[in-house]
Amino acid sequence: MKVAVYNGIKNITIESREKPVVGPDDFILKVKAAALCGSDLRTYLHGHPKITPPQVLGHEFAGVVDSVGKNIKGVKVGDRVAVHPGIPCGHCYYCDRGEQNMCESRKQIGIHYQGGFGEYVLIPGKTLEVGTVVKIPEDCSYEVAALGDPLVSAMNGQEVVGTKMGDIVLILGSGPIGIFHAMLSKLRGAQDVILANPSPGRLQYAKEHNIADHYYCINEGTDFRGYIDSLTDGRGADVVIVANTSVKSACQAVELVAKNGRVLLFAGFPKEAPQLGLDGNLIHYKQIRVMGSLGSTPRQYQMAEKLLFSKRIDGELLITHRIPLEKINEGFQLMIDGKSLKVIINKFD
Ligand SMILES: [Zn+2]
Ligand SMILES: [Zn+2]
């Protein structure tokens, strides 16, 4: 079978490997669609502390069950399924509390197991036990179902920050995660959703597809505060979601949020300089709640897939490019150039 092997920074090669052999407690998926994720790009550009090359990346995928081990219950050959890559242990302190995203020994397909950038991927049966395998209805495409992972991460963020009816929500970042946050904020009843980003390309795409209510291109010299004031009677946004990795954005969020507002730091910051230098007095005197969010739980994942299946969240809108596996390096280049939202690999042989 053909796989894309990550050999180190900026080094992915297409290789031929033996198809994985199914063990009694695994099943094998023939991958039909795999999405490139921002975290794959980070690994591609900077490496990953938990990944030892050679490794097949790819953790956002869906496919058809090709074979099942003898102890596997819950899927059969021919089933169309999406699988969440995170595999919680199911029995630690956090798993017991239903907070599997905080699991102390969580494993991930694409990090601890070979990932979905190949014709076949071996799935540990544990996924069935913890509830991270979802059957795809006939009227949903594999590529849309493959977006359950990024969607559910945004969903967990929304639950943490508690976007509610009538809120004015400002989202800093209009990549796939920012777009999902905009869609989810609308679904949760936000009165107004403002999408802001420094580069105009993705913002324009979002505007053409009516993702938010207002769009703002953040440039040096423009009056961002004045713009937000004009939309909020000078109060600021009730919820500000930082859907990018810039420290400056986090500081901006605290300035642009209303009194008694909530700020969500959705993404990690550069590990060499994660200090934010937030104005503590703004947080205190405006009674701001600053929160983080990470990953998702199996319960949320099942919900996310259902939102994609019912088209309450229109996954199609996120897919801007489709490429064969051989062109994976070009796919990463599209992301580097900021020309894409989701790039999908839809041909593997
Ligand atoms: Zn991802
Ligand atoms: Zn656990």
Side-chain angles (χ1 to χ4, degrees):
M1 68 164 185
K2 227 187 247 179
V3 286
V5 181
Y6 169 75
N7 305 297
I9 291 173
K10 289 189 191 166
N11 181 350
I12 291 185
T13 48
I14 305 297
E15 293 175 17
S16 184
R17 275 194 186 173
E18 289 300 316
K19 186 177 160 184
V21 179
V22 70
D25 299 309
D26 316 311
F27 66 96
I28 288 175
L29 203 64
K30 184 168 172 47
V31 183
K32 293 289 194 177
L36 271 57
C37 171
S39 68
D40 296 321
L41 178 64
R42 239 186 336 274
T43 304
Y44 179 74
L45 292 176
H46 309 292
H48 187 294
K50 289 184 188 151
I51 292 176
T52 320
Q55 169 73 26
V56 178
L57 305 177
H59 59 270
E60 301 176 0
F61 57 85
V64 59
V65 176
D66 179 73
S67 52
V68 297
K70 69 173 173 27
N71 299 332
I72 289 292
K73 290 187 185 70
V75 287
K76 58 182 192 313
V77 172
D79 281 351
R80 308 167 80 236
V81 297
V83 180
H84 190 272
I87 309 175
C89 77
H91 50 69
C92 70
Y93 175 81
Y94 295 104
C95 282
D96 280 347
R97 289 159 61 110
E99 298 162 0
Q100 294 92 336
N101 53 333
M102 298 291 119
C103 173
E104 282 162 344
S105 48
R106 189 175 176 274
K107 298 275 185 287
Q108 185 165 322
I109 298 170
I111 294 180
H112 306 93
Y113 302 94
Q114 300 297 306
F117 293 158
E119 266 184 89
Y120 296 92
V121 59
L122 182 130
I123 311 290
K126 180 104 192 172
T127 52
L128 290 160
E129 196 186 303
V130 297
T132 51
V133 179
V134 175
K135 289 193 184 148
I136 309 169
E138 282 306 320
D139 62 352
C140 179
S141 65
Y142 290 108
E143 54 190 42
V144 165
L147 302 181
D149 170 54
L151 173 60
V152 73
S153 301
M155 241 164 91
N156 175 54
Q158 287 282 326
E159 285 191 15
V160 168
V161 79
T163 303
K164 60 180 193 295
M165 237 182 269
D167 278 341
I168 298 179
V169 180
L170 167 62
I171 299 159
L172 303 175
S174 60
I177 290 295
I179 302 264
F180 273 140
H181 271 295
M183 290 172 160
L184 289 166
S185 299
K186 278 187 173 176
L187 209 57
R188 291 171 71 97
Q191 173 201 136
D192 246 341
V193 178
I194 309 158
L195 202 53
N197 196 60
S199 75
R202 284 169 158 182
L203 219 46
Q204 186 56 33
Y205 181 88
K207 195 171 184 175
E208 278 161 20
H209 294 87
N210 196 28
I211 302 287
D213 301 296
H214 307 277
Y215 307 86
Y216 186 80
C217 191
I218 310 166
N219 278 317
E220 291 299 334
T222 57
D223 183 12
F224 195 11
R225 172 82 234 189
Y227 176 75
I228 298 301
D229 282 350
S230 74
L231 294 175
T232 60
D233 293 329
R235 292 189 310 270
D238 302 301
V239 173
V240 182
I241 295 167
V242 182
N244 71 73
T245 61
S246 127
V247 164
K248 194 173 166 213
S249 265
C251 296
Q252 229 161 18
V254 170
E255 285 159 19
L256 297 173
V257 74
K259 286 184 195 174
N260 204 21
R262 291 98 75 203
V263 170
L264 176 68
L265 306 180
F266 178 85
F269 296 95
K271 65 173 183 301
E272 61 283 2
Q275 284 77 16
L276 299 180
L278 297 178
D279 182 338
N281 276 338
L282 279 180
I283 296 173
H284 171 70
Y285 288 108
K286 293 199 323 189
Q287 189 171 297
I288 300 166
R289 281 157 284 169
V290 179
M291 302 167 231
S293 73
L294 176 75
S296 63
T297 67
R299 167 188 68 81
Q300 291 169 324
Y301 177 62
Q302 291 172 23
M303 243 166 28
E305 287 292 350
K306 282 177 189 154
L307 290 180
L308 290 167
F309 299 158
S310 68
K311 301 187 173 62
R312 279 280 186 276
I313 293 292
D314 188 352
E316 283 285 342
L317 285 185
L318 276 282
I319 301 169
T320 53
H321 296 80
R322 293 167 177 85
I323 56 169
L325 186 67
E326 299 103 76
K327 299 224 164 133
I328 187 165
N329 286 291
E330 288 163 51
F332 282 120
Q333 195 56 48
L334 284 167
M335 294 173 78
I336 293 166
D337 296 342
K339 288 193 175 133
S340 58
L341 284 173
K342 288 311 271 190
V343 179
I344 299 272
I345 298 170
N346 64 356
K347 194 172 173 301
F348 294 83
D349 44 17

